Amino acid sequence: PGLCAFLYRECCSLIQIANTLGDTQAIPVLEAFAENLSTVVESAWNEEAAIYFDWDRDTHNSSPGEKLGEITGPGLLPLGLEFNQPVRLLRRLETSLNTRGRLSIFVQGKSPTAKNRIERITDDQFKWHFRQGRYTGENVYQSLEQIEIKGLEPEDQVTIYSVGYNTQDHSLLMPLWAGIPSEERARILIERTITNTSIIWRPYGIPACPRTLEAPEAMVCGSVNLPRNSLVGEGLIRYVYREQAAELIKSPCVIFFNRQKTLIRN
């Protein structure tokens, strides 16, 4: 939703430029692009959560993630799982040593078209942070038969998840800034989610993620991004929530400048 919101606003800007230049041929094409982007974003709206959700690149679903299995050391992890909707896999590897062996993971399952699929993943495909590696797969699976792990130390652990798309963050609020939702949908997003102190609204601004994760590297979730907050503020003004916009922008700015004064004094 965030990326599509930015592209939508870009189309709107290009339409304005085309009008100024008198380039009438470009306008229908840009309007079609903008309409398509708006439709895609609106299809990602979740009425129960009162917010937009991310969706998968290939399946276009916004399914929640779940833990599928784990194994310690090398070996075979039998799964035998069938999914209602195709899932993308996230592998998390925790190592006991600073050095790593020649890891190989073989995933066996079926594609959404029921074709047999065997996928090989190697150590260099993981993104590493200290002793923890993560890899999000290129393929989606309708079913998983088994996963074979080779090249691990006996204490190393591999956990397999399906990727979840229902985690909320500040990028999901960008459609409001872009002016995509209707007046009623914007009201629901603002009143039920954005200004809801139990979900997103904080005295110091809107954090990157409304729910802080337990992992140490996820501390960034509680941080406030001033440019993102200003865009949400513009969205609030667009839908005539001026008082809320002023409160949103004022709080983090006051905290920021007070900290700067303290640093200068010290």
Side-chain angles (χ1 to χ4, degrees):
L3 174 59
C4 288
F6 280 110
L7 293 173
Y8 175 85
R9 277 293 293 269
E10 188 70 13
C11 286
C12 294
S13 297
L14 291 172
I15 290 170
Q16 289 181 326
I17 294 171
N19 277 316
T20 301
L21 297 177
D23 187 357
T24 56
Q25 291 184 343
I27 294 175
V29 177
L30 292 168
E31 288 178 338
F33 275 127
E35 178 63 26
N36 183 51
L37 289 164
S38 175
T39 301
V40 169
V41 171
E42 287 299 272
S43 68
W45 173 257
N46 186 288
E47 190 67 34
E48 182 179 356
I51 198 171
Y52 297 93
F53 278 163
D54 290 320
W55 60 84
D56 186 85
R57 179 193 65 189
D58 298 327
T59 68
H60 309 293
N61 295 325
S62 299
S63 54
E66 62 176 321
K67 181 178 177 180
L68 303 179
E70 67 180 16
I71 183 172
T72 300
L76 191 67
L77 176 63
L79 293 171
L81 298 174
E82 295 278 347
F83 306 105
N84 294 328
Q85 296 178 341
V87 300
R88 190 177 301 277
L89 301 183
L90 168 66
R91 295 87 169 175
R92 189 180 73 181
L93 170 59
E94 294 185 19
T95 64
S96 56
L97 303 173
N98 289 324
T99 57
R100 302 187 300 272
R102 298 182 62 84
L103 169 69
S104 291
I105 299 178
F106 296 89
V107 182
Q108 185 175 341
K110 290 188 177 181
S111 71
T113 57
K115 292 183 178 179
N116 290 326
R117 170 173 286 161
I118 298 178
E119 182 182 9
R120 179 174 181 259
I121 302 145
T122 57
D123 177 87
D124 58 356
Q125 291 176 271
F126 280 76
K127 292 187 181 297
W128 289 94
H129 181 73
F130 295 106
R131 295 178 182 177
Q132 187 176 100
R134 292 174 182 266
Y135 173 70
T136 302
E138 286 290 325
N139 301 309
V140 295
Y141 289 84
Q142 191 67 56
S143 65
L144 280 176
E145 296 175 19
Q146 64 180 29
I147 295 178
E148 185 178 4
I149 315 290
K150 295 183 178 180
L152 283 188
E153 295 295 326
E155 298 82 9
D156 295 347
Q157 186 178 69
V158 174
T159 310
I160 309 297
Y161 301 88
S162 61
V163 175
Y165 299 92
N166 59 340
T167 299
Q168 299 179 21
D169 63 67
H170 55 193
S171 72
L172 304 178
L173 307 178
M174 293 302 101
L176 184 78
W177 163 76
I180 291 176
S182 64
E183 296 287 339
E184 176 60 19
R185 180 157 290 178
R187 183 191 66 79
I188 295 172
L189 176 62
I190 293 168
E191 295 182 3
R192 286 181 52 189
T193 302
I194 294 178
T195 59
N196 188 334
T197 56
S198 64
I199 300 178
I200 288 180
W201 200 257
R202 301 288 190 275
Y204 52 82
I206 293 174
C209 310
R211 182 174 66 87
T212 302
L213 304 178
E214 295 180 0
E217 63 271 19
M219 290 179 63
V220 68
C221 284
S223 64
V224 173
N225 183 287
L226 290 178
R228 288 278 188 177
N229 273 243
S230 67
L231 293 180
V232 176
E234 289 182 22
L236 291 170
I237 292 173
R238 176 187 289 272
Y239 290 94
V240 202
Y241 284 79
R242 295 181 177 273
E243 291 183 9
Q244 290 84 350
E247 182 181 350
L248 171 66
I249 299 303
K250 178 182 68 176
S251 299
C253 287
V254 168
I255 292 172
F256 174 78
F257 286 118
N258 286 339
R259 286 179 178 174
Q260 295 304 306
K261 290 178 182 179
T262 302
L263 288 173
I264 291 171
R265 286 197 301 268
N266 292 340

